[in-house]
Amino acid sequence: MKAYRAALLRFADDGSALYDEDGLLVIGPDASGRKVVRAAGAYSALAGNFPGVAVEHLPGRILAPGFIDLHVHFPQTDVIGSPAEGLLPWLENYTFPHESRFADPAYAQGVATVFFDELLRHGVTTALTFATSHPASVNALMEDAQRRGLRLIAGKVLQDRHSPDGVRDETEQSLADSEALIQKWHGTDRLGYAITPRFAPSCSEAQLRGAGELAAKYPDVWIQSHVAENKDEIAWARQLFPASRSYLAVYDDFGLMRERAIYAHCIHFDDEDRSLMRSTGAAAAVSPTSNLFLGSGFFDFAGADRIGFQYGLASDVGGGTSFSPFHTMLAAYYVGREGQTKQGVSLSPQQLWWRHTAGAAQALGLDGVVGNLQPGCEADFIVLNPQAMPLLARKVAHARNLDELLFSLIVLGDDRIVERTVIS
Ligand code: GUN
Ligand code: ZN
């Protein structure tokens, strides 16, 4: 067992933040030998319960749950900042040509290393990740995550049409490859598999049908895709699938909406789409830096809350511009303010932080497993040092309550304040 004494941030079941200015986080094995949080709370209340346990004292630091990135593309690590008129030309001119390089396993391994180094440097300890259409890209990613002991979910991209040579896959083979990867990786150590149709326009009906069959056969495997991101993309999807009520309904029609299905963007929805998200238990990965960079639009937080479907925050690198959860939370705040002019939504700092930690875990069906530091949770955490940035050091000294403190970190913080990332 080991204990850490510092300020401690956790979340209650209702999503509100719990904060101990002088806290104690005790980590040790559970009955099955997994390293978990054994106790978390005020130092004064807990210290006497753990005689003989070594305590590392970290004055001025904040212990917080590792962040969860609900949607990110590891092969787009080097695509960040590629400007385009919109999503479809961005895919065609930058993303597909770049992803074709991942046919080479050595190249994929090299990028996987950089990707995990970046995630961890920014305090992200779990991610739901797209690989490319090449099975070797999944193996490269999973092997690296396994070595580092990370809880990671990833999948081979399915794209058997409207995709150039080099990334296009073949229907039957792509489904067989996906199933083999499920058997190899899903539930191995802390790894999980996600069935990954890139988006409806890049998948034939046969491929979507096969993906839905896999999703039914493996109910605790995740599903990830994109939906309702960009107006041109939506028009294209509607034209390709005229029988479906909406773009989102295409996925439902092929058995791809259920719990553990995470759809990136979900911007241009009507209330029937929102109700479909809610009734199926699917969740949205809100990716504000990507949506602002590609000019895709603004996620409707008020609409999501009014109907009540699940969502969490995501970088969507390389459409997104940063691996930093702080940058993503700030962008989500800006987008919420844009909505506020119409709907009266302004996201609180506690909500923003929850949507990138415990709330994102809930969207994945992993609440109580990651994204929080309550007893029983896997002990992935970060050590934040606000003193690492001069302006932030001044600002936090003026914070009169938890909301002011968290807002200071969200607005001014970045990887410079992530002093340490600890994997359980
Ligand atoms: N839609 C289909 N593929 C992609 C992708 O790689 N990134 C984003 N943002 N949207 C997509
Ligand atoms: Zn994406």
Side-chain angles (χ1 to χ4, degrees), residues 109-326:
Q109 280 160 15
V111 177
T113 302
V114 175
F115 172 74
F116 286 124
D117 287 350
E118 283 297 305
L119 285 187
L120 293 168
R121 209 161 58 70
H122 286 91
V124 177
T125 51
T126 284
L128 175 61
T129 310
F130 274 54
T132 62
S133 57
H134 317 96
S137 72
V138 178
N139 290 326
L141 191 73
M142 294 293 205
E143 281 159 12
D144 200 331
Q146 187 177 33
R147 264 196 303 278
R148 296 177 196 244
L150 294 174
R151 183 166 284 286
L152 182 92
I153 306 164
K156 177 206 123 53
V157 172
L158 298 167
Q159 51 182 120
D160 67 351
R161 66 167 170 171
H162 300 136
S163 306
D165 292 349
V167 293
R168 193 178 56 258
D169 59 12
E170 191 277 318
T171 315
E172 289 305 317
Q173 189 63 46
S174 72
L175 298 166
D177 287 343
S178 297
E179 186 159 21
L181 289 165
I182 290 171
Q183 286 167 357
K184 183 172 163 86
W185 293 114
H186 187 70
T188 299
D189 295 339
R190 301 179 77 197
L191 306 173
Y193 192 82
I195 299 162
T196 308
R198 178 162 213 125
F199 63 157
S202 76
C203 302
S204 67
E205 294 200 8
Q207 196 176 42
L208 290 175
R209 196 172 308 112
E213 284 163 9
L214 280 178
K217 184 169 172 186
Y218 298 97
D220 68 341
V221 158
W222 283 268
I223 298 165
Q224 58 179 344
S225 193
H226 298 92
V227 74
E229 175 177 7
N230 165 287
K231 293 268 168 66
D232 295 336
E233 170 221 20
I234 294 168
W236 193 21
R238 304 287 292 120
Q239 184 195 332
L240 291 167
F241 298 93
S244 293
R245 192 204 69 86
S246 67
Y247 182 4
L248 181 70
V250 174
Y251 297 113
D252 192 41
D253 294 343
F254 287 97
L256 290 164
M257 293 197 67
R258 59 157 167 75
E259 286 177 9
R260 297 196 165 203
I262 310 289
Y263 286 91
H265 310 302
C266 303
I267 297 171
H268 308 282
F269 269 5
D270 61 19
D271 274 358
E272 275 196 59
D273 293 321
R274 295 187 182 96
S275 300
L276 185 58
M277 293 292 288
R278 181 195 153 111
S279 65
T280 56
V286 180
S287 308
T289 73
S290 170
N291 300 157
L292 296 169
F293 184 74
L294 292 174
S296 302
F298 302 87
F299 181 79
D300 184 348
F301 290 99
D305 291 343
R306 177 164 42 74
I307 304 294
F309 68 85
Q310 303 190 86
Y311 60 92
L313 294 179
S315 70
D316 191 32
V317 160
T321 51
S322 172
F323 282 106
S324 173
F326 298 98

Side-chain angles (χ1 to χ4, degrees), residues 389-410:
M389 296 171 78
L391 189 59
L392 183 58
R394 291 178 61 83
K395 179 78 190 155
V396 298
H398 290 107
R400 289 167 305 179
N401 54 47
L402 180 59
D403 281 340
E404 291 186 3
L405 172 69
L406 295 180
F407 250 142
S408 303
L409 298 168
I410 289 169

